[in-house]
Each structure stands twice: as C-alpha cells, then as structure tokens.
Amino acid sequence: MTHHYLGLDAGGTSTRAVVVSIDGLCKGVGKAGSGNPTSAGVDAATTAIRAAVTQALNAAGTGQVDGAALAVAGAGPAGHKAAIVAVLADLVASEPVFDFDVLAAYFSGTAAPDGYVLLSGTGASAVRVEDGRLAAISDGLGWLLGDIGSGFWLGREAVRAGLAPLDGRGSATLLTDLLLDRLEISPVAEREGGRTGTLVAATAALYAMPPLRLADFAALVFTAAGADDQVAAGILDRAAAGLTETLAAVRTPDVEGPLVAAGSVLARQPDFAARVAPGAVVAYDGLAGAAVLALRHAGVVVDDAVYRRVTSSLAQLTEV
Amino acid sequence: MTHHYLGLDAGGTSTRAVVVSIDGLCKGVGKAGSGNPTSAGVDAATTAIRAAVTQALNAAGTGQVDGAALAVAGAGPAGHKAAIVAVLADLVASEPVFDFDVLAAYFSGTAAPDGYVLLSGTGASAVRVEDGRLAAISDGLGWLLGDIGSGFWLGREAVRAGLAPLDGRGSATLLTDLLLDRLEISPVAEREGGRTGTLVAATAALYAMPPLRLADFAALVFTAAGADDQVAAGILDRAAAGLTETLAAVRTPDVEGPLVAAGSVLARQPDFAARVAPGAVVAYDGLAGAAVLALRHAGVVVDDAVYRRVTSSLAQLTEV
C-alpha cells in the first residue's frame, strides 16, 4: 500500500489524470486526448486514458496506486467500463470506481458534501449533490433532446441566426459576418438552385462537420452580443432563461450548500456565469474534483484543510 | 418515338413514377420505397427508382419512353445522378433531366408557370417559380441548420417539451403522456443516476433512432394543441411564424401567381395550412407535378386543358 490514489477526468476534448496522496497532496498529473468512449470510440478513449494515467504515475514516481476514481463522460455501457478497467489493471491495485463527471466538476469548486453545480460546456445540466453523491440531475439530455444553454445549443442558434439573412429570413445580425469569417467563406453572389453561392458554401461546410462541432460557434454569440447585436443578445437571453430553469429544477430548500459553475461556457464567460449562477464558485476544470473523489472513495474525510492542500498542490503542478 | 414521357418523384418515404402521353394522359403509375440517395444510400435508392419506373412502364404498356424528368430529393452529388441515369438507361431513350422536388410539388397544385410553393414535410422551404423554373428558395437548409416549422422541427420541439417535465423543467403538457404512449414506456419511478427510470428509458429509445425520425412525433403537437394544450399551441405558433417568414422571403410584387401548399405536414393539417398559406391550393403528393415537368421538358405547353387531363387521368389510376 503506497497510500496514493488516482483521480481521472475524461471528457470529449481531453483526459486528465492526477495522483494524490492520502493526505491530499497532488504529486503528478497527466494529460491526453479525448477519453469519451461514446464520441472518440472505445479504443481511442482507453488509449488516451492509459496515456494520461501513465504520465501522472511517472510524474508522481509512486508506481502502482491503491485505488482510482474515474469520472468518464460517455462511459455508459458496461463494455466501455470493462475496457477502461482492463487497460488500467496493472496500474491500480484495487477495482477503480466510476463516478459522474458532473461530480468531478462540483468538487473542483468546493469540498462541501452538499450543494449544487450548474454546468454548461458542450452539454448543459444541473445537479444537486447530497452527502457527496449525485442526488438529482436536470437536463443533460444531450444535443438532440436537451442541453438548453449549452455550447452546442448556443452554437447551433448562432449558426441558424447567422444563415437566415442569407436567404432573406430573420433579422440582420453580426453573426452572419462572424460565421462566414470563421468558415473562411467570401461572399459569392452567383446563385445555384435559387441560393447564393455564399449560402451553398456555408451549409456544405457546416454539414461536413460532425453535428457536435457546432459548439465551436458558441463564442460568436458572446462576441456579437458584446457589440450590442440584438439577435445575439436574444439568444443569450433564451440560454440564460433555460439554464436558470435547469438549475431551479434541482434546488430544494432542504439543501443549502454552495453553488459551483462549471463547463467551458461558464468558465470562459464570467459575466454570463454571474447572470445564471449568481454567487457561484467557478470551476475551471474537473481535475481537483477527480482527486477529491479518489480520496472520498478511499475513505478520507476531505475537510477544508485537505481540500486546500489538494487545490494548492494541484495549482503548483499545472501552472507551468 | 412513342411520345410517352416519364415523371418521377422520389423522396425519403417513397418513390413514385408515372408514364404520361404527349397529350397529357397518364397511362401507368408505379411505387417503391425510398429513392433518396442521401438518406437511403445510392444502391437502395437506385433499386427503388428502377422498380417504380418498371412498374409504371409495365402498367402503361408503352415500352421504352422518349424522355424523363426526375425529381429526386437528396440527389446532390454528380455520382448519385450518374447512378440513377445508369439504372434507367434501357428504359428511357434520351438523357433524363433532373429537377427540383419542390417543383414537382408546385406543379402538383397548379399549371401556372409563375407562382409560389410553401412546403412542410420532413423539411421545410418556400420557393418562387418563374417561367416554370425555380427562381428563389428560402430555408430548406436541413434539420440541423434550418427547416423551421417542418415535421422534424415540430417533432423535435414536441419531444423536448414532452421530456422537460420529467426532470422538473418546463410546463406540464399533454405532450409528455403522448410521447411516452408512442414510445410504449410505462412510468418507472425508480431513479438511475439522479433520473427517473421513465426519463432514462425515453431518452435511450429516442437516441436509438436516426435523428430525422423525430419527424414522426410532429403529429403529437397537433393532437395536443387540439386538446387546448398551451405548450403545444406555443410550438404551433412558433412554427407558423417561421413558415410565414420563410414564405415572405421569396415573395415579390413582380410575381402574382398562385400559392401551393405541399408536404405531409401541410397536406394532413388543413387548418394549419390555411393559417400559414391562406388561399393556397393543397398538393397531396408530387406525382402530377412530375408528369407536368416531364411534359414541359418534352416541349409540351401545359395549358389548363392539358393540366386537367393530367390530374384527372392520374386520379383514375391512383384512386383504386
């Protein structure tokens, strides 16, 4: 027993791993590509997860760790989990515990066992945490069926609103120019099947991407709204109303704990985070929370002193 | 030269073919499955197209026809068109002409060379027709980027609004029960990862379908709105506003021709069609229009007498 544990936060963009000692000292971190088995495929995801973990173990110099908490977005089916466990078998002494990635986000903002997290990254959801566990979740239903106010939702609205004036619909908006700039499409006046070449080129480029990549256009809404564009401001109003409703759905008077705001949209847009989650602690990634989950599963009581040790030692490892 | 021509209307649900004489008499029809190369695949689409055409030629007893007009949804890339031409090579004497499926819809409602068609089926668009050709189109940008007020749009809104109350969001709506009935899911109170079993089962069933199948839920909006459900009525209001804007985008004072309403949503919901396309002729399928396109490409002037002959002879062939 080395009394070291592994925390892992694997998402659609990157996978990050941290080795933490039983007293809360983070000793090594590792980073690799997407570890989401649903979006990246099981083989690529398990390869990334092993790479991030190996890197963290080498940096910590601890060898095999005693246990692990794995927060892996998209690791639904049992087959995914079995593949991840198999690829870590020689690196972790006991069976790893899978946890919800929203919990890693939550514990990246607070050590309190009871509270709330509102998340808007590629997806969007709100969670109530009780006794360190997920007690209730609202939305998080994915890009097709929910995720109101998420990066995907914002990006799709930006693209729809930006394209509309190109065939005479909607209101004029800065989003059109911002979208064409981003797609590197110059205006083409010639028509093809009743449409301008500009619109034909833009829709072809957008349909050539995987649908989820529309999340990349979320930032255009903030740019345009910052320049007083009314269409973009309207999109932000609807996103804020949706996220506010999502958070309200998990609130209960019985749980008074802190509120954490997480996910790339909220972490990068402090004004918007303050609007939908007033008073929230903003969590910039899920790595500290993954370390906390690992310690909790090892039976460690993560009090304020341990939590401060986790976050400050982690900051030293990652700020280079 | 037999002076017979072929009209073909191939969509995502079915492919229909008609053989028409140079004087406008429809002599044989044929029907097969999806002929959309994008959604059904090129092999299945060309097989369906050949089956429908062969059936129409056999019914007409004419042998090879002189020419053909093909309105094929989703036949964008040149390779698709070449495959369709190849599979018809021995059945049509001259090179077939490809035409827009919206034009087949338009000419199924009127013989006038100038006018408008508003279409809401799985997708949605509006077209201005001048001199028998597509002069301008608005929307029709597909399920991800546009198609406001289409069957897909309505179905997706119905599903989102129906799911929302299952995790405490949105307003109570009949759409929830109608959706669960359609999915054959009985309420399950047990929770899984913070969600009721009902919601977990519903989202799993919906994500197991191809996204476009959400169009199948469009009818739930009309059912619920008919029972005074305010959420459903709100969805219809937004659909109507979107379709009205789409139609307005192609209107010009210079073209005063008739308005045709087409597509499964408008054909099946006469009250809704009257709301978004007041005074429109409703076209129930694109087969008459495909015959008209075939005659036009053969150089026939389709006046009112010829048009009446097309529609009445076609009605006799298809009303069995």
Side-chain angles (χ1 to χ4, degrees):
Chain A
M1 301 289 275
T2 64
H3 296 300
H4 284 90
Y5 301 90
L6 175 76
L8 180 91
D9 183 43
T13 305
S14 71
T15 299
R16 301 182 70 190
V18 56
V19 171
V20 60
S21 73
I22 198 164
D23 54 357
L25 208 59
C26 293
K27 297 200 170 169
V29 294
K31 188 173 178 181
S34 172
N36 181 324
T38 301
S39 63
V42 175
D43 286 353
T46 52
T47 301
I49 288 170
R50 183 168 173 102
V53 171
T54 305
Q55 203 182 323
L57 290 172
N58 289 343
T62 51
Q64 194 189 54
V65 291
D66 294 346
L70 311 177
V72 183
H80 291 175
K81 294 186 176 176
I84 294 167
V85 169
V87 83
L88 297 180
D90 58 324
L91 305 177
V92 185
S94 60
E95 179 92 347
V97 176
F98 282 86
D99 233 323
F100 298 100
D101 54 340
V102 282
L103 281 182
Y106 174 76
F107 281 118
S108 289
T110 180
D114 298 318
Y116 302 92
V117 58
L118 177 66
L119 190 140
S120 174
T122 302
S125 59
V127 163
R128 182 171 74 244
V129 179
E130 294 183 39
D131 197 19
R133 294 159 198 271
L134 189 154
I137 183 167
S138 80
D139 205 349
L141 299 186
W143 63 279
L144 189 61
L145 306 179
D147 287 1
I148 319 268
S150 66
F152 174 80
W153 188 96
L154 286 162
R156 189 189 59 194
E157 293 301 303
V159 166
R160 285 175 162 258
L163 292 177
L166 294 174
D167 64 18
R169 293 175 299 121
S171 305
T173 165
L174 285 179
L175 291 167
T176 303
D177 285 345
L178 293 171
L179 174 65
L180 294 177
D181 279 356
R182 176 69 75 87
L183 295 173
E184 299 182 357
I185 290 172
S186 313
V188 182
E190 287 76 45
R191 288 179 169 264
E192 211 177 297
R195 292 194 174 99
T196 62
T198 310
L199 183 52
V200 171
T203 53
L206 291 162
Y207 275 109
M209 304 175 181
L212 269 180
R213 287 271 55 81
L214 292 191
D216 296 347
F217 301 96
L220 304 189
V221 182
F222 294 98
T223 304
D228 284 330
D229 183 83
Q230 291 309 302
V231 171
I235 294 173
L236 282 191
D237 287 346
R238 287 186 289 132
L243 289 169
T244 300
E245 189 174 40
T246 296
L247 178 57
V250 294
R251 288 260 194 203
T252 167
D254 301 342
V255 174
E256 282 218 3
L259 171 62
V260 177
S264 54
V265 171
L266 299 181
R268 287 181 202 154
Q269 304 290 344
D271 292 349
F272 187 66
R275 178 174 175 187
V276 297
V281 180
V282 176
Y284 292 90
D285 72 41
L287 199 54
V292 171
L293 289 172
L295 291 173
R296 289 184 62 93
H297 285 299
V300 176
V301 176
V302 182
D303 59 18
D304 285 346
V306 173
Y307 190 70
R308 274 195 301 273
R309 206 173 301 133
V310 169
T311 52
S312 63
S313 59
L314 187 58
Q316 286 180 10
L317 289 174
T318 55
E319 76 181 358
V320 192
Chain B
M1 301 289 275
T2 64
H3 296 299
H4 282 91
Y5 301 90
L6 175 76
L8 181 92
D9 183 43
T13 305
S14 71
T15 298
R16 300 181 71 191
V18 55
V19 171
V20 59
S21 72
I22 198 164
D23 55 355
L25 209 59
C26 293
K27 297 201 169 167
V29 294
K31 188 174 179 181
S34 172
N36 181 324
T38 301
S39 64
V42 175
D43 286 353
T46 52
T47 301
I49 288 170
R50 185 170 170 100
V53 171
T54 304
Q55 202 183 321
L57 290 172
N58 289 344
T62 51
Q64 196 190 52
V65 290
D66 294 346
L70 311 177
V72 183
H80 292 175
K81 294 187 177 176
I84 293 167
V85 168
V87 83
L88 297 181
D90 58 324
L91 306 176
V92 185
S94 60
E95 179 92 347
V97 176
F98 282 86
D99 232 323
F100 298 100
D101 54 341
V102 282
L103 280 183
Y106 174 76
F107 281 118
S108 289
T110 180
D114 298 321
Y116 302 93
V117 57
L118 178 66
L119 190 141
S120 175
T122 302
S125 59
V127 163
R128 183 172 74 245
V129 179
E130 295 182 40
D131 197 19
R133 295 160 197 270
L134 189 155
I137 182 166
S138 80
D139 205 350
L141 298 186
W143 62 278
L144 189 61
L145 306 180
D147 287 1
I148 320 267
S150 66
F152 174 81
W153 188 97
L154 286 163
R156 190 189 59 194
E157 293 301 303
V159 166
R160 285 175 162 259
L163 291 177
L166 294 174
D167 64 18
R169 293 174 298 121
S171 305
T173 166
L174 286 178
L175 290 167
T176 303
D177 285 346
L178 292 172
L179 175 65
L180 295 176
D181 279 357
R182 175 69 75 87
L183 294 172
E184 299 183 356
I185 289 172
S186 312
V188 182
E190 287 76 45
R191 285 178 171 266
E192 210 176 296
R195 292 194 174 99
T196 61
T198 310
L199 183 53
V200 172
T203 53
L206 290 162
Y207 274 109
M209 303 174 183
L212 269 180
R213 289 271 54 81
L214 293 190
D216 297 346
F217 300 97
L220 304 188
V221 182
F222 294 99
T223 304
D228 283 330
D229 183 81
Q230 290 310 301
V231 171
I235 294 172
L236 281 192
D237 287 347
R238 287 186 289 132
L243 288 169
T244 301
E245 190 174 38
T246 296
L247 179 57
V250 295
R251 288 260 196 204
T252 167
D254 302 341
V255 174
E256 282 219 0
L259 171 61
V260 176
S264 54
V265 170
L266 299 182
R268 288 180 201 156
Q269 305 290 343
D271 291 349
F272 187 67
R275 178 175 174 186
V276 296
V281 179
V282 177
Y284 292 91
D285 72 41
L287 200 54
V292 170
L293 289 172
L295 292 173
R296 289 184 63 94
H297 285 298
V300 177
V301 175
V302 183
D303 59 18
D304 286 348
V306 173
Y307 190 70
R308 273 196 302 274
R309 205 174 301 136
V310 169
T311 53
S312 62
S313 58
L314 186 59
Q316 286 181 11
L317 289 174
T318 55
E319 76 180 359
V320 190

